[in-house]
Every structure is written in structure tokens, then in C-alpha cells.
């Protein structure tokens, strides 16, 4: 395999970038990250979903399959365009710079964007064209109603608004035209800013890996407008919800609470909703990771109203049928979790690369599928994901016996790839794991920024099934993206021919 097909990258979500306005955006810091990646010769930038965050501030609990998270809009660019002033922005408290205060961002970002909207020319030909494309229609419609009813979920709206009709849509656009246009405006500005950033990434040889959550929130425009695509009863109540069964990590399993899909109904129109969702996302990114891919083979359904995930059942998904017409797209399948022969067959049928997690690899089991000696080329190797403990903390938490096994396993794997590990300190061990990933035969290796920086557990992005203010709030400092770190990474890129 030639080095052109071997790539290395970084996992860092937009919101984790440094800014003075409380949350990472698609402005200057994002461009600086791409410059850092160019210095380090990293070609892949993996982000989390661009869709709006929902319950628990999670990007995997979105209320729109195609909406764009206006929290990420860069205010500096709006200042340059004269839509708001620096004083207006500076007068608002967006919270502490090193952690995201989502409640403050919700209040203050909406406020400043509404002020920008008052100065925006709604007759701008580019905006008119964007509005007429209807890309933002569903999101803007839903947000208009959410605003109208003080943020309540759609199933608590007045009766005449609970059920979507085309007549209701037209009525809203007339009665609440200004509010509707404001939400279209947020999508227009995001798209405009993102396009500039995406083009800059391409100019530097950087591909962006985006992410689609497999499920949406019950309180979403998609469930409200297209209820027939979901497993709901005649009153649009959920029949069952998504999650994971009990395992070694959780005796109660994971109860996500999202509505599951009515796959037989989706099949009737050729999975149009899913195909449009995938293709729309690929307009914004170069490669697409699909979350919880195993659910396309079989998904775990838990009766609605359950207190935990113990009493669920496995139900067949669409399998290859959903993907047979889109096999040529650049997709990564997140194939982690409870796997069986059906999942392995689906992965073989679609041919998409799966994922391997080095943090799971060094347990003394020579058949461990996360060991590089058990890889083939068609994988993306990670030290961990946004759901895992940062590797440095993971190593710190090992017992003496576990650590001895970890190091011995790591040393064996390194020897197979022709290098010797450095285990002098725990941070040296982290870098030896990173080097192993780089030298492995996996076509792509992506490392979370926390692991490049050898950060501890306080930098964890998310602890699954745990509502915490620290989830999704992690941010870096400008100084973290140093020339020294870029040089260290580039040395690994060079030696591993990526």
C-alpha cells in the first residue's frame, strides 16, 4: 500500500476550539487548527455532528436531522460584516472560556444573532436563493414553533399544532414570518461560514470527517413532520426506544430514549429520508462516520417507559438493503459495541471501513480484535473516541497487574511493527500507543486531541448515559496547538509513511 492511501488525523469537535465567546466556532480558531494540521502533515480532521444539540447538550440527541448548530457561528465575522459591533458582543457574558456553559450560550448567542438579523438584507440574492432551496425549511419551521411555545416539546403544543400539515406550514410562514426568516438566516450564515472553512481545509489537503447520529430526539422536527418513519402508536407516542443491553460496563444497559425507525415503512419509498440525510451531510464534509452502525443489522428496542435497558429485544434492521445504492460513498461505519455474525456480514457486504480502539487492545488476549496485529487495511484506528476516557487517565487507572499486561502487550505489538516502546512514564506510554496506531496497517489513524496532549480524565468529552455539565463542554487553549506538538506528530507521520 502506498503512502498516499495512508492518512493520519485528529479528533476535535468545533465546540472545543478556543474563542473568547464561550464556545468554539467555525472562525479564526478553526482556520488556525487547519494550519496546525498542515504543519503536522495531518490529513484528516474528525468532528462530531454539526446538527443542533438537544437533551443533555448532546450532539447525538438532535431535534433536526439536517439543521446546523448556530452555536458554532463565528461572531467575529459578523462584526467584520457590520451586522453586530464588538461592543455588543463583549457586553454579553458567554461564560468561562475553558468550559462551555450551554445555558448561557443558548440565551446570549440567540440574542446577538437576532440583533445581527435586524441589520441583515433579506433581499440579498444569495440569501433569497438559499431560502428558496428549502434546505433550512424544516429546521426553521420547527424552531419558529419552539419559540412560539416557549421551548416546549412538540407533543405539548396546542392541539392544532401537534400534527404537521402543509396548510399549517404555510400558516406559520405567514403568521410568524420574521421568526421563520430569522431561523433561515442562522442556517444561511452557518453555511456561508462553513463553506469558507471547508474550502480552506481542502486547500491545505485536509479532509473533514463528519458524523451522523443514527437516532434523533423524540422532540425533533423529523418525528413531528414525518411520524410514519418512526415506531409510534396512533397518538404519536413512542412504542419502543433505542439503547444497548446490559454488558460488562453496565448491569442496567444504556437507555437512550430515542424513538426507533419504522424500517418497513422507510423501505416503501426506497429509504429516501436516509439517503437524503446522508447526501445532505456529505455536502458539508468529505467523509462521513455513521454512528452505531450495528443497528442497521439489528437494533435493540426497549419498551417505552422502561426505567432501564434490561428488558429489550433485538429486532431486524434494513441490513444491506438501505446501502445497496450508496456503496460508492465515503462512509466510515462505527461498528463498536455488541457485535455478532450479522454485523460482520453487513460490514463485509457494504465494504465500508470499520473502527478499532487501541485503548481496548492490550488485555493479554492475542485474538483481541483491537490489536493492530489483527487488523486488515480497511479500518480507522483510534486511541479512543469522544465516549472514552482519555488514554493517559485510562493508563493511570489501571491496577499494577493490568498495567503490566498492557505494557507487555503493547511491547509485543510494537516489536511486530519494528519499533521499541518507551514506557518510562505514563505519558511516554501514551505516545507509544499513538505511534503503534500510526505504524499499523490501518489505512487511517485518528487521535483525539486529548491523547496528543496527554490530558487526564478532566478532559473527557462524554461519559455515556450520564447527565453532567461536564459532558460536551471540553475546550482547548490556543497554546495547546504548539509548533513543538506539530513537529512531534509530523515525525510520526514521516516514519509511518502517512
Amino acid at each position: 500500500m502506498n503512502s498516499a492511501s495512508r492518512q493520519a488525523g485528529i479528533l476535535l469537535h468545533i465546540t472545543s476550539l478556543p474563542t473568547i465567546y464561550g464556545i468554539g466556532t467555525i472562525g479564526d480558531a478553526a482556520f488556525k487548527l487547519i494550519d496546525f494540521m498542515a504543519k503536522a502533515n495531518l490529513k484528516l480532521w474528525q468532528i462530531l455532528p454539526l446538527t443542533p444539540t438537544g437533551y443533555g447538550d448532546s450532539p447525538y440527541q438532535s431535534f433536526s436531522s439536517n439543521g446546523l448548530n448556530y452555536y458554532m457561528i463565528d461572531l467575529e465575522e459578523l462584526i467584520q460584516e457590520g451586522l453586530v459591533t464588538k461592543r455588543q458582543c463583549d457586553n454579553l457574558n458567554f461564560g468561562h472560556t475553558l468550559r462551555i456553559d450551554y445555558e448561557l450560550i443558548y440565551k446570549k448567542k440567540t440574542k446577538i444573532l437576532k440583533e445581527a438579523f435586524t441589520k441583515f438584507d433579506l433581499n440579498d440574492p444569495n440569501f433569497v436563493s438559499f431560502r428558496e432551496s428549502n434546505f433550512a425549511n424544516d429546521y426553521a419551521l420547527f424552531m419558529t414553533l419552539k419559540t412560539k411555545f416557549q421551548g416546549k416539546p412538540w407533543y405539548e403544543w396546542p392541539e392544532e399544532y401537534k400534527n404537521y400539515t402543509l396548510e399549517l406550514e404555510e400558516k406559520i410562514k405567514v403568521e410568524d414570518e420574521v421568526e421563520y426568516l430569522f431561523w433561515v438566516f442562522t442556517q444561511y450564515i452557518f453555511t456561508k461560514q462553513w463553506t469558507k472553512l471547508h474550502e480552506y481545509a481542502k486547500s491545505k489537503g485536509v479532509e473533514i470527517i463528519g458524523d451522523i447520529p443514527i437516532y434523533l430526539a423524540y422532540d425533533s422536527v423529523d418525528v413531528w413532520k414525518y411520524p410514519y418513519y418512526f415506531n409510534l402508536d396512533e397518538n404519536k407516542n413512542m412504542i419502543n426506544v433505542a439503547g444497548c443491553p446490559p454488558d460488562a460496563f453496565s448491569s442496567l444497559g444504556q437507555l437512550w430514549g430515542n424513538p426507533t425507525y419504522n424500517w418497513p415503512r422507510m423501505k416503501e419509498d426506497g429509504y429516501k429520508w436516509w439517503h437524503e440525510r446522508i447526501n445532505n451531510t456529505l455536502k458539508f464534509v468529505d467523509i462521513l462516520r455513521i454512528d452505531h452502525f450495528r443497528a442497521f443489522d439489528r437494533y435493540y428496542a426497549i419498551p417505552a417507559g422502561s426505567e432501564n435497558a434490561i428488558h429489550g429485544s433485538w429486532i431486524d434492521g434494513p441490513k444491506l438493503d438501505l446501502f445497496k445504492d450508496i456503496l460508492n460513498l465515503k462512509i466510515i461505519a462505527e461498528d463498536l459495541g455488541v457485535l455478532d455474525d450479522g454485523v460482520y456480514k453487513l460490514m463485509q457486504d457494504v465494504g465500508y471501513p470499520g473502527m478499532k480502539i487501541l485503548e481496548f487492545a492490550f488485555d493479554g488476549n492475542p485474538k483481541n480484535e483491537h490489536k493492530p496485529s489483527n487488523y486488515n487495511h480497511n479500518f480507522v484506528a483510534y486511541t479512543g473516541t469522544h465516549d472514552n476516557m482519555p488514554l493517559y487517565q485510562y493508563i493511570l487507572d489501571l491496577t499494577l497487574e493490568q498495567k503490566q499486561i498492557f505494557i507487555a502487550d503493547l511491547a509485543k505489538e510494537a516489536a511486530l511493527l519494528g519499533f521499541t516502546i518507551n514506557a518510562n512514564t505514563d505519558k511516554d506510554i501514551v505516545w507509544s500507543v499513538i505511534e503503534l496506531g500510526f505504524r499499523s496497517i490501518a489505512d487511517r489513524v485518528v487521535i483525539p486531541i486529548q491523547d496528543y496532549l496527554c490530558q487526564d480524565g478532566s478532559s473527557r468529552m462524554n461519559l455515556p448515559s450520564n447527565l453532567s455539565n461536564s459532558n460536551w463542554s471540553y475546550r482547548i487553549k490556543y497554546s495547546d496547538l504548539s509548533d513543538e506538538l506539530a513537529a512531534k506528530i509530523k515525525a510520526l507521520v514521516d516514519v509511518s509513511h502517512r
Side-chain angles (χ1 to χ4, degrees):
M1 177 167 293
N2 61 53
S3 59
S5 64
R6 287 168 58 78
Q7 296 174 306
I10 191 168
L11 170 57
L12 174 63
H13 192 38
I14 305 292
T15 58
S16 296
L17 291 166
T19 66
I20 61 173
Y21 296 124
I23 193 168
T25 71
I26 47 183
D28 181 63
F31 286 84
K32 281 185 165 62
L33 173 67
I34 292 168
D35 290 339
F36 169 84
M37 292 181 64
K39 289 178 188 174
N41 210 11
L42 294 173
K43 301 297 184 184
L44 300 170
W45 176 15
Q46 183 167 331
I47 58 175
L48 303 187
L50 294 173
T51 45
T53 54
Y55 182 68
D57 305 312
S58 171
Y60 296 91
Q61 286 280 357
S62 186
F63 48 79
S64 172
S65 61
N66 288 324
L68 300 164
N69 189 349
Y70 68 90
Y71 292 173
M72 302 179 199
I73 289 174
D74 178 47
L75 296 182
E76 296 286 352
E77 189 163 331
L78 298 186
I79 292 170
Q80 293 170 15
E81 293 177 1
L83 294 177
V84 292
T85 66
K86 191 168 190 319
R87 177 176 289 182
Q88 283 176 299
C89 295
D90 291 346
N91 282 343
L92 295 175
N93 172 22
F94 289 93
H96 194 275
T97 56
L98 291 182
R99 281 286 173 183
I100 301 167
D101 184 329
Y102 280 98
E103 185 177 356
L104 268 180
I105 296 297
Y106 168 72
K107 293 174 181 176
K108 303 302 173 69
K109 197 90 178 200
T110 309
K111 175 181 172 64
I112 199 73
L113 289 175
K114 287 206 166 182
E115 290 177 1
F117 176 66
T118 63
K119 292 185 180 179
F120 181 73
D121 180 9
L122 294 175
N123 294 314
D124 181 315
N126 293 322
F127 176 76
V128 172
S129 177
F130 180 82
R131 179 189 173 186
E132 290 176 349
S133 75
N134 265 344
F135 173 81
N137 181 67
D138 285 5
Y139 171 81
L141 196 65
F142 195 67
M143 291 303 293
T144 300
L145 287 170
K146 293 281 279 185
T147 305
K148 189 182 187 77
F149 302 119
Q150 293 78 50
K152 289 181 180 178
W154 63 261
Y155 44 85
E156 292 181 10
W157 294 348
E159 206 60 41
E160 64 268 31
Y161 292 93
K162 282 183 181 178
N163 299 300
Y164 170 84
T165 63
L166 185 58
E167 292 74 24
L168 176 61
E169 177 175 326
E170 295 305 321
K171 174 187 174 186
I172 294 163
K173 288 179 181 177
V174 172
E175 288 183 355
D176 301 283
E177 181 183 22
V178 174
E179 188 70 24
Y180 172 81
L181 289 175
F182 165 70
W183 292 109
V184 175
F185 163 78
T186 66
Q187 304 300 280
Y188 170 74
I189 293 295
F190 185 107
T191 302
K192 179 182 171 184
Q193 292 187 357
W194 180 264
T195 300
K196 187 186 297 185
L197 177 66
H198 195 188
E199 289 302 316
Y200 188 72
K202 289 177 184 176
S203 75
K204 296 290 186 177
V206 170
E207 290 185 290
I208 298 176
I209 303 175
D211 199 329
I212 280 188
I214 188 169
Y215 294 118
L216 295 167
Y218 179 43
D219 181 27
S220 67
V221 61
D222 301 85
V223 175
W224 173 69
K225 188 172 180 178
Y226 312 105
Y228 42 84
Y229 283 147
F230 300 86
N231 287 319
L232 310 177
D233 64 20
E234 63 275 9
N235 297 315
K236 298 211 297 190
N237 295 313
M238 292 184 287
I239 296 171
N240 53 48
V241 299
C244 282
D247 57 20
F249 300 101
S250 172
S251 61
L252 299 177
Q254 294 183 30
L255 182 67
W256 300 336
N258 311 75
T260 58
Y261 294 107
N262 183 344
W263 289 118
R265 173 62 182 82
M266 286 189 154
K267 180 183 175 69
E268 290 176 14
D269 58 14
Y271 306 102
K272 176 185 175 184
W273 182 90
W274 261 102
H275 290 176
E276 287 181 351
R277 185 183 182 195
I278 289 170
N279 284 313
N280 278 334
T281 308
L282 279 168
K283 292 175 183 176
F284 288 82
V285 298
D286 305 292
I287 303 166
L288 184 59
R289 170 193 179 273
I290 300 182
D291 179 56
H292 197 56
F293 197 81
R294 73 99 53 242
F296 293 107
D297 176 60
R298 290 190 305 150
Y299 63 95
Y300 192 68
I302 305 151
S306 298
E307 293 183 359
N308 55 53
I310 292 176
H311 301 295
S313 57
W314 289 101
I315 301 174
D316 279 347
K319 305 181 188 293
L320 177 63
D321 200 35
L322 172 63
F323 299 97
K324 63 186 179 183
D325 295 326
I326 55 172
L327 293 177
N328 61 330
L329 298 182
K330 296 178 78 171
I331 288 173
I332 296 169
E334 189 268 284
D335 57 342
L336 306 174
V338 181
L339 305 184
D340 53 30
D341 289 344
V343 183
Y344 292 124
K345 183 179 187 306
L346 177 59
M347 290 296 294
Q348 186 175 18
D349 288 344
V350 296
Y352 300 144
M355 294 172 56
K356 297 300 176 190
I357 308 300
L358 289 164
E359 191 171 284
F360 301 159
F362 311 112
D363 60 356
N365 176 9
K367 295 182 179 179
N368 185 315
E369 65 181 270
H370 296 283
K371 277 184 166 61
S373 56
N374 294 323
Y375 293 176
N376 62 37
H377 294 288
N378 198 30
F379 286 114
V380 185
Y382 297 80
T383 46
T385 74
H386 61 271
D387 282 335
N388 297 129
M389 179 66 76
L391 183 57
Y392 176 61
Q393 186 68 55
Y394 180 86
I395 293 168
L396 289 177
D397 290 342
L398 294 174
T399 65
L400 179 60
E401 182 182 2
Q402 289 170 333
K403 189 172 181 180
Q404 289 171 340
I405 293 171
F406 187 100
I407 293 173
D409 249 7
L410 175 60
K412 286 178 188 175
E413 290 291 313
L416 292 173
L417 292 173
F419 78 101
T420 303
I421 69 166
N422 180 352
N424 289 335
T425 70
D426 291 328
K427 290 186 178 181
D428 290 330
I429 296 172
V430 170
W431 274 95
S432 291
V433 175
I434 292 172
E435 182 171 357
L436 185 70
F438 271 68
R439 288 179 180 263
S440 76
I441 67 169
D443 286 341
R444 302 177 180 121
V445 57
V446 176
I447 310 296
I449 186 65
Q450 294 96 322
D451 293 346
Y452 280 130
L453 295 171
C454 294
Q455 292 180 327
D456 64 20
S458 65
S459 69
R460 185 169 186 162
M461 187 62 161
N462 179 52
L463 179 61
S465 294
N466 181 274
L467 279 179
S468 165
N469 288 336
S470 65
N471 278 355
W472 315 111
S473 67
Y474 167 75
R475 300 185 70 195
I476 65 169
K477 305 186 295 290
Y478 277 111
S479 58
D480 289 333
L481 303 177
S482 65
D483 289 344
E484 291 77 14
L485 179 60
K488 190 172 184 178
I489 295 171
K490 185 178 184 301
L492 281 188
V493 172
D494 293 343
V495 77
S496 59
H497 306 294
R498 290 194 178 270

